[in-house]
Amino acid sequence: MNDLTKSAFRILSTPEDHSETPEVFQTAWAELKAQRGQDMRTSNLPGSLHDVRPSRSIIETVREIAHRKGYKLARPRPVPGDRRA
């Protein structure tokens, strides 16, 4: 493994460190794809190429997406063990 590949692995393992510079993340991804002999078509990936979200549950993420799309959902039920309830 060469130094460029090691750097790409390091960048991709900590995407939150590169949330302000998606082009760095994209370049690292392209490097790893090239090492595997694969192409990366950036034209198929609109906007930001990665999405760094705060740590939260899948349920919260799904509810947020549903809300943005205008779906009507029942009120959330308490999750066992969740101290925020």
Side-chain angles (χ1 to χ4, degrees), residues 14 18 23 31 38-39 42 44-45 52 54 58 65 73 79-80:
T14 58
H18 306 284
E23 63 278 357
E31 171 60 24
Q38 301 170 342
D39 291 332
T42 56
N44 291 349
L45 303 170
V52 178
I58 296 290
I65 293 167
L73 300 175
V79 176

Side-chain angles (χ1 to χ4, degrees), residues 10-73:
R10 190 174 67 254
I11 290 166
L12 294 173
S13 66
T14 58
E16 64 277 3
D17 293 345
H18 306 284
S19 62
E20 300 297 320
T21 55
E23 63 278 357
V24 171
F25 192 86
Q26 176 185 355
T27 303
W29 187 256
E31 171 60 24
L32 293 184
K33 295 283 279 182
Q35 289 293 324
R36 292 182 172 186
Q38 301 170 342
D39 291 332
M40 186 173 95
R41 291 173 291 207
T42 56
S43 60
N44 291 349
L45 303 170
S48 179
L49 299 178
H50 69 287
D51 186 15
V52 178
R53 291 181 170 267
S55 295
R56 61 182 177 181
S57 75
I58 296 290
I59 293 170
E60 291 171 317
T61 302
V62 169
R63 291 189 75 77
E64 175 195 314
I65 293 167
H67 178 74
R68 278 196 318 246
K69 292 186 175 272
Y71 299 139
K72 294 188 181 206
L73 300 175

